[in-house]
Amino acid sequence: YLPDVAAESGGSVTVPLNVANVSGVLAFGVTITYDPTKLSFSSVTRGALVGQDWILVPNATVAGEIRLGSAGILTDLSGSGPIAIIEFQVLGQPGDVATLTLSDVLLNESAITPTRTQGSVNIVQDITKPVITLLGEGQLQFEASPAGSYLDAGASCQDAIDGDLSNDIVVSGDAVDLA
């Protein structure tokens, strides 16, 4: 199944293709259709449920359609979780909804009918500012001394649309020379 997700206009979005309660899956195939005026296919990678020995082959030569095929060499799929992560560029405008539709779903060369055949990308305008949280003590006081040093405890950053941005924080500025 494909979930409903939100994405910012002009940005990119990842959409997981999930399965629930499967066992003994040796291969799968699926077609995903979408509105190419609102989304543009960028890439697909293996989901967490799929082992490294699995081959994942996308065919996106037709605008608005992705055909995925995958098979394992040594291991089968069992459990619940993402089997593929699909990345799109968001072309639509805030307020648009891009419907994602599953069809031609095959597991082990047998057609199945998924319980949920549609997901969506709700295109939004990100007007909520990220929240930056300084780590360490709230207030520090140091006496100027050439013998001491200070190590910044860092910060974390969360955004409602983009998620965890902590690795994107850039610390800058000149060191104070006390000599």
Side-chain angles (χ1 to χ4, degrees):
Y1 66 93
L2 295 163
D4 297 323
V5 298
E8 188 175 356
S9 180
S12 63
V13 63
T14 56
V15 180
L17 172 59
N18 298 302
V19 294
N21 304 316
V22 297
S23 64
V25 175
L26 301 171
F28 69 85
V30 63
T31 299
I32 301 165
T33 55
Y34 60 93
D35 183 342
T37 65
K38 296 177 183 171
L39 298 173
S40 175
F41 172 74
S42 296
S43 66
V44 64
T45 56
R46 283 191 292 271
L49 195 61
V50 176
Q52 292 297 315
D53 65 310
W54 277 65
I55 298 168
L56 181 63
V57 180
N59 179 343
T61 56
V62 175
E65 180 181 274
I66 306 164
R67 293 178 182 264
L68 293 178
S70 189
I73 298 170
L74 302 172
T75 60
D76 63 353
L77 286 180
S78 294
S80 299
I83 56 175
I85 307 296
I86 305 157
E87 183 176 0
F88 294 97
Q89 291 300 308
V90 182
L91 306 176
Q93 297 302 309
D96 287 347
V97 176
T99 300
L100 305 168
T101 303
L102 289 176
S103 62
D104 304 325
V105 179
L106 299 171
L107 295 180
N108 293 343
E109 298 180 13
S110 297
I112 66 161
T113 303
T115 56
R116 184 171 176 195
T117 59
Q118 288 193 332
S120 65
V121 176
N122 297 302
I123 303 170
V124 299
Q125 182 176 3
D126 191 359
I127 58 173
T128 305
K129 295 179 176 136
V131 176
I132 298 173
T133 304
L134 298 177
L135 304 177
E137 295 186 39
Q139 195 171 40
L140 298 172
Q141 185 173 349
F142 291 95
E143 190 170 317
S145 166
S149 64
Y150 169 72
L151 179 60
D152 186 355
S156 65
C157 182
Q158 293 292 321
D159 183 75
I161 300 294
D162 298 317
D164 186 358
L165 299 173
S166 299
N167 291 333
D168 296 328
I169 295 173
V170 176
V171 178
S172 64
D174 295 330
V176 177
D177 184 3
L178 298 175

